[in-house]
Amino acid sequence: MKQLLLSTLFLLTINTFSQTNCDYTTNITDSLGTYKVTKECLMSEKVFAGTSSYIFCSLASTDGLPTLNVQLIQKSKGFIKANCFNKNSRLYLQLNNGKVITLVHTDLEYCGSMIRDENGFDNRVIVGTFMFMKGTMEDLKNSPVSLMRIKFLTDIEDYVIRKKITSELNGTVYEPETYFMKNLHCIEN
């Protein structure tokens, strides 16, 4: 019994010290409240035949309310289909342990903005904020993510989440599979 207690204590100590330090892009506390946003992680990158799309995620906490910020960037010389977020949009994360986590979009409807660059490419940027459902953060802290599904207003798209991505956009190495495991503690109270 004594060995079991010591083993448990040892494993809990390792888990506590193995959490990474929090790297915030925004960390504000003032008379209105607190707002924290973690550094963005590239979750998916598709580059094919002159068309590219990127999904970046960051975790945020607004006065203790944890959310997931999602930014979709699409670039093409051809037509870019408009995907919109609305109150019925959902983000599903399939974990390696088989569980599926559902995040709910806020009530704001947003279809993004189109920007044409100097090289003749159309760039569409879509931003959304998703709320965690009660009890889902513990599962995300304990298992890597293998698949992300985004339900837009009129479409559903799946994205395979890889262990590591070296971005063609900026050359940075990202680890999207374990992003939640390493960073969720940064937005908890």
Side-chain angles (χ1 to χ4, degrees):
M1 183 67 163
K2 187 176 181 181
Q3 289 177 338
L4 180 62
L5 183 61
L6 287 173
S7 297
T8 304
L9 183 60
F10 178 72
L11 288 174
L12 287 173
T13 304
I14 288 175
N15 190 30
T16 302
F17 290 114
S18 68
Q19 291 181 342
T20 58
N21 290 332
C22 297
D23 191 6
Y24 296 109
T25 58
T26 306
N27 189 357
I28 300 171
T29 300
D30 60 16
S31 61
L32 299 175
T34 61
Y35 182 65
K36 299 177 184 179
V37 180
T38 63
K39 189 175 177 182
E40 288 183 331
C41 179
L42 178 66
M43 301 300 280
S44 177
E45 179 179 66
K46 295 178 186 176
V47 179
F48 182 73
T51 300
S52 54
S53 69
Y54 309 90
I55 298 178
F56 289 93
C57 289
S58 62
L59 294 165
S61 174
T62 307
D63 293 329
L65 176 67
T67 56
L68 177 67
N69 297 330
V70 176
Q71 182 180 43
L72 229 74
I73 302 170
Q74 298 169 299
K75 183 175 184 172
S76 178
K77 284 199 174 187
F79 176 75
I80 299 177
K81 178 176 67 170
N83 283 325
C84 301
F85 289 127
N86 72 348
K87 65 180 180 176
N88 296 319
S89 294
R90 302 285 184 266
L91 189 141
Y92 303 98
L93 298 170
Q94 183 171 345
L95 307 181
N96 283 355
N97 66 10
K99 292 185 180 182
V100 176
I101 305 299
T102 303
L103 286 83
V104 180
H105 190 263
T106 58
D107 286 339
L108 300 173
E109 186 169 314
Y110 188 68
C111 295
S113 55
M114 184 75 79
I115 303 163
R116 181 169 291 239
D117 65 20
E118 63 277 356
N119 297 325
F121 282 93
D122 287 330
N123 297 277
R124 180 176 294 278
V125 179
I126 306 167
V127 179
T129 302
F130 291 85
M131 297 178 290
F132 292 92
M133 297 184 75
K134 189 173 184 168
T136 59
M137 289 177 65
E138 283 304 314
D139 290 327
L140 281 168
K141 283 193 251 177
N142 295 317
S143 181
V145 176
S146 60
L147 185 75
M148 179 188 325
R149 172 174 283 177
I150 300 177
K151 180 183 178 283
F152 296 99
L153 176 65
T154 58
D155 198 10
I156 295 174
E157 291 201 26
D158 291 335
Y159 304 92
V160 175
I161 304 300
R162 297 187 302 212
K163 188 173 206 126
K164 282 190 178 184
I165 298 175
T166 302
S167 175
E168 291 184 32
L169 181 67
N170 58 18
T172 304
V173 176
Y174 296 92
E175 296 179 347
E177 184 183 72
T178 56
Y179 176 70
F180 295 100
M181 295 173 67
K182 292 178 180 178
N183 292 287
L184 270 174
H185 71 278
C186 296
I187 60 166
E188 291 181 322
N189 290 334

